[in-house]
Amino acid sequence: MALYSDSAHRPSAAIDALHSDEIQSFSRVGTWGSAAQRTAVVATARKIWVEAGLQQSSGDESLADSITLPAPVQRLIREVALGGISVDRTFCQQVQSEGVTEGAYVEIVSLVSRLSNLDVFARGLGVSPRPLAAPIEDTAPSFKRPAEASDEGFFTASVPNAPAGGALAESLYGNNQAGNVFRAVSLVPDEARRVIALIEQQYFPGAKVMDFEYDNGHALSRAQVEIVATKVSEHNQCFY
Amino acid sequence: MKFTSAITGADAEVLNTARDAVVEIMGSPAVVTASIIAANFSMLDRIANAIGISLDGMMLKPSADIRELLGINNYPSAANTLER
């Protein structure tokens, strides 16, 4: 059954399939977090939104309590869930000094941000947040940090464009010189692949972002799309 | 604009009214597109703010006037670009 079959406003089959896979990804083992930890991270974000009155309960916030997440992880989830507006380099370093590895920091930021994508979309359509799944894998994370990652001036390391980023950069970004947002979470390549797939399906492919005549099948003009984007970014006080 | 503001707000009634207006004026597909773009940027804004990425160099000069006009240079995350 389609993920949004209960909505009066039906997205494309491609969006439906992508979002179905996104929901499943939260409850699978990651690079730095176990399936149980990742599930608890996204359920905690949802709990924060419900407690803040930003969205209705989907009844699965109790998954947040299935394991106890460390205090710095909970602080990070809260900050990102509420927009990441006050996160700065000092906050990032503080969280890491309390035991959150750089890779785990990036993975948590990506998880909460990707859940935000799904929950804001559901809110826009007028349906409840799609149910989270219980952890479905119990294998250990790989804890694999890409050798190509370097300091590009962000709070965390990232995989630079080719040639410096090598074959990994080509597999992530194709032949494009990817913008900073495409490289942001590339310290965890699996998360970067997911974020890039979402951007390309939901907004525009990286190579077409500056092509203002490109048609990605949106029901709004390019100018209208950019107005929506700007309004949301104003809410989140995002300079980027 | 009302619909986009309502998606990021907390008032479900306002959102429902705004959505109905979009359907009436622009049709259901516009609701889907506006929602997917709002969702996409809800994700990207969080990533950009929390990872501290800077604005891509080629965008800095062309966006100078609009950033000044809208007060974007005063956002906390502006430091990730302007103070680098």
Side-chain angles (χ1 to χ4, degrees), chain A:
Chain A
M1 185 190 291
L3 186 64
Y4 298 106
S5 60
D6 56 335
S7 173
H9 314 290
R10 303 292 290 275
S12 67
I15 292 284
D16 206 291
L18 188 57
H19 286 196
S20 295
D21 190 55
E22 282 287 289
I23 281 281
Q24 294 299 315
S25 76
F26 300 135
S27 51
R28 295 193 188 114
V29 66
T31 304
W32 295 89
S34 69
Q37 289 168 329
R38 286 163 59 93
T39 301
V41 164
V42 289
T44 298
R46 211 167 244 186
K47 194 174 179 180
I48 289 165
W49 290 324
V50 170
E51 288 173 354
L54 296 173
Q55 70 184 40
Q56 59 183 298
S57 170
S58 51
D60 51 18
E61 303 91 72
S62 60
L63 287 168
D65 304 320
S66 56
I67 61 169
T68 303
L69 295 171
V73 169
Q74 294 191 34
R75 284 208 314 278
L76 174 58
I77 295 168
R78 173 170 292 279
E79 287 292 341
V80 180
L82 298 178
I85 296 167
S86 57
V87 174
D88 58 14
R89 191 177 292 275
T90 303
F91 173 86
C92 178
Q93 290 171 341
Q94 179 64 34
V95 166
Q96 291 183 59
S97 74
E98 293 177 47
V100 178
T101 62
E102 190 180 19
Y105 179 99
V106 171
E107 188 162 312
I108 291 165
V109 167
S110 182
L111 286 169
V112 175
S113 300
R114 290 195 292 113
L115 182 69
S116 168
N117 177 65
L118 294 186
D119 285 6
V120 168
F121 185 57
R123 182 172 164 78
L125 294 187
V127 297
S128 13
R130 307 294 85 176
L132 298 172
I136 54 177
E137 288 176 13
D138 196 21
T139 52
S142 66
F143 302 114
K144 187 178 176 189
R145 180 189 171 98
E148 298 86 345
S150 64
D151 180 359
E152 294 197 273
F154 310 157
F155 298 163
T156 52
S158 52
V159 176
N161 280 308
L168 177 57
E170 289 174 8
S171 79
L172 288 171
Y173 318 133
N175 295 322
N176 307 318
Q177 287 296 295
N180 291 348
V181 76
F182 289 87
R183 306 198 310 281
V185 296
S186 57
L187 184 62
V188 186
D190 286 348
E191 289 296 323
R193 285 193 181 89
R194 288 194 167 277
V195 169
I196 292 168
L198 287 166
I199 297 171
E200 300 206 327
Q201 188 65 53
Q202 298 180 161
Y203 182 53
F204 292 101
K208 298 293 184 183
V209 169
M210 299 306 290
D211 178 355
F212 297 107
E213 303 300 319
Y214 182 76
D215 180 4
N216 204 23
H218 292 136
L220 299 178
S221 68
R222 181 63 191 261
Q224 290 169 325
V225 163
E226 296 305 325
I227 287 171
V228 172
T230 302
K231 190 70 185 166
V232 172
S233 296
E234 177 192 33
H235 176 78
N236 293 319
Q237 295 189 40
C238 181
F239 183 88
Y240 188 85

